[in-house]
Amino acid sequence: MGGDTPDPVDADFNYDYYLIRKGGLIFAGVLFLVGIAILFSKFCHPAHKRRPASTEK
């Protein structure tokens, strides 16, 4: 009745927490850099600064 033996169902799930943490930090860093790039890109100008369409006929 002791809990010393591992459950055979969970035997395949040995997580490498260092690798998961490292991958998560890299993913978060990439998303952060993409967000900063979007904020400072030329494609994110406010609508009032765009050149109005010509209405001449």
Side-chain angles (χ1 to χ4, degrees):
M1 288 276 175
D4 295 337
T5 58
D7 190 12
V9 175
D10 293 333
D12 293 334
F13 297 102
N14 293 324
Y15 297 109
D16 184 4
Y17 291 106
Y18 175 75
L19 184 62
I20 293 172
R21 181 175 55 216
K22 186 176 177 182
L25 287 173
I26 291 171
F27 185 69
V30 168
L31 287 180
F32 176 77
L33 292 175
V34 168
I36 295 298
I38 289 172
L39 286 175
F40 290 113
S41 70
K42 295 179 181 180
F43 300 109
C44 291
H45 291 292
H48 68 275
K49 288 191 175 184
R50 292 184 182 158
R51 182 180 293 179
S54 177
T55 56
E56 296 178 21
K57 291 184 179 181

